[in-house]
């Protein structure tokens, strides 16, 4: 019956929107403040952290949490490639190992594909893609970093690296969301 299929699809759609919406709201309350200057290595590490985080809280959530520190930390030498690689790594490819990280995988999970199937079977391809993207980013970022005057780099690097997290209580809400996905 077409009505039953439409109703079933509508319920799945509401479940999907609920997941994405709740991850969006919870991640919006988490804030990371970085102090220091962005070096090519620190940028690669932040992008790698974002790729891993995307699998836990979704690409939208990870992007929301990390875009502000990414922009602030690179403000002294921001180029278009910073945004492009952030989108590639954190907002797109990074979250492709879990149904929480990637919306089409969540729909597959709702259709009966085991939650960890992609992680178990496709992690080598994910790792290769992330490694290649990070390597290309590093080469480009290093080239532009070397163009920054040494006096500016030295002044900013003397601040030292410091991370500060606000809204950590939202991690509890995030845990509840993740448990709800597994219960479904």
């Amino acid at each position: 019956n077409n009505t039953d299929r439409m109703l079933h699809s509508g319920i799945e759609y509401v479940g999907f929107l609920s997941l994405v919406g709740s991850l969006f709201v919870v991640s919006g309350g988490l804030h990371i403040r970085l102090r220091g200057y962005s070096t090519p290595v620190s940028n690669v590490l932040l992008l790698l952290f974002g790729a891993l985080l995307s699998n836990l809280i979704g690409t939208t959530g990870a992007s929301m949490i990390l875009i502000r520190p990414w922009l602030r930390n690179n403000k002294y030498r921001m180029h278009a490639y910073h945004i492009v690689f952030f989108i590639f790594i954190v907002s797109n490819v990074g979250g492709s190992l879990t149904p929480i990280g990637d919306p089409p995988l969540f729909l597959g999970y709702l259709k009966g594909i085991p939650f960890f199937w992609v992680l178990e079977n496709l992690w080598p391809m994910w790792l290769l893609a992330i490694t290649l993207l990070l390597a290309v980013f590093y080469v480009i970022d290093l080239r532009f970093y070397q163009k920054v005057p040494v006096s500016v780099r030295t002044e900013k690097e003397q601040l030292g690296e410091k991370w500060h997290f606000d809204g950590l209580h939202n991690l509890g809400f995030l845990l509840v969301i993740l448990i709800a996905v597994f219960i479904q």
Side-chain angles (χ1 to χ4, degrees):
N1 182 335
N2 285 339
T3 306
D4 290 341
R5 271 195 287 160
M6 285 182 57
L7 182 62
H8 183 70
S9 294
I11 291 170
E12 285 181 352
Y13 186 68
V14 168
F16 168 71
L17 285 181
S18 298
L19 173 66
V20 171
S22 59
L23 290 171
F24 182 81
V25 169
V26 169
S27 64
L30 290 167
H31 298 277
I32 299 174
R33 287 184 279 156
L34 298 173
R35 187 184 81 190
Y37 186 61
S38 63
T39 63
V41 171
S42 66
N43 278 341
V44 165
L45 291 175
L46 187 59
L47 288 173
L48 178 60
F49 174 71
L52 295 170
L53 186 63
S54 293
N55 288 296
L56 299 175
I57 64 170
T59 54
T60 303
S63 297
M64 282 183 57
I65 291 172
L66 294 176
I67 190 65
R68 289 178 295 232
W70 178 254
L71 293 174
R72 276 194 303 268
N73 224 37
N74 286 289
K75 70 181 173 186
Y76 297 104
R77 58 185 197 91
M78 180 62 66
H79 295 281
Y81 73 89
H82 283 100
I83 303 303
V84 170
F85 278 91
F86 184 89
I87 292 169
F88 284 167
I89 295 169
V90 178
S91 306
N92 208 308
V93 177
S96 58
L97 285 180
T98 65
I100 292 170
D102 193 38
L105 295 178
F106 183 70
L107 294 176
Y109 172 67
L110 291 176
K111 293 288 187 185
I113 295 173
F115 188 87
F116 290 109
W117 186 90
V118 176
L119 177 65
E120 291 170 354
N121 293 284
L122 301 179
W123 70 265
M125 286 67 89
W126 176 88
L127 186 60
L128 177 64
I130 293 296
T131 301
L132 290 174
L133 284 168
L134 289 174
V136 170
F137 172 81
Y138 178 79
V139 169
I140 295 169
D141 202 35
L142 182 62
R143 187 175 142 241
F144 280 95
Y145 180 74
Q146 290 170 339
K147 292 180 181 181
V148 175
V150 175
S151 61
V152 173
R153 287 192 309 215
T154 304
E155 174 188 330
K156 299 298 177 192
E157 289 171 2
Q158 286 176 348
L159 293 173
E161 294 288 327
K162 182 179 178 187
W163 290 57
H164 180 76
F165 297 90
D166 291 322
L168 288 178
H169 64 279
N170 284 337
L171 293 177
F173 297 125
L174 183 60
L175 182 62
V176 169
I177 294 167
L178 297 177
I179 290 169
V181 168
F182 279 109
I183 290 173
Q184 188 173 15

